[in-house]
Amino acid sequence: ESVFGGGMWKRVTEADGTPGQWYLHIFDESQPDFDWTNPEVRAEFRDILRFWLDRGVDGFRVDVAHGLIKAAGLP
């Protein structure tokens, strides 16, 4: 169950109407969880953080940090 109720797995519908991939959302279905084990995800976030740090931002707010890493073997 997602925190906001209902299942936490959502299936994408492709443009042609066929079922697509599934994604995990612990909260709202409009907020898919990132796969932090994926090196491309980590690299993208480093780039985003660098973008803002180079512009002088003082910090970042991280909500629900305990939910960023999932249990190993999560299907």
Side-chain angles (χ1 to χ4, degrees):
E1 288 285 311
S2 77
V3 173
F4 295 158
M8 66 171 59
W9 288 97
K10 172 87 174 161
R11 192 164 199 177
V12 174
T13 301
E14 301 295 341
D16 64 2
T18 60
Q21 295 183 352
W22 291 88
Y23 68 90
L24 174 71
H25 62 89
I26 291 179
F27 294 93
D28 187 75
E29 67 182 46
S30 68
Q31 300 171 312
D33 286 40
F34 289 109
D35 178 1
W36 290 101
T37 64
N38 183 326
E40 292 178 32
V41 170
R42 291 177 181 221
E44 181 69 20
F45 262 79
R46 276 191 296 272
D47 291 347
I48 292 167
L49 294 173
R50 177 54 43 209
F51 173 88
W52 288 108
L53 290 168
D54 288 348
R55 283 153 183 78
V57 72
D58 290 329
F60 300 95
R61 176 179 168 166
V62 180
D63 292 334
V64 201
H66 65 279
L68 292 177
I69 305 300
K70 309 301 185 286
L74 184 69

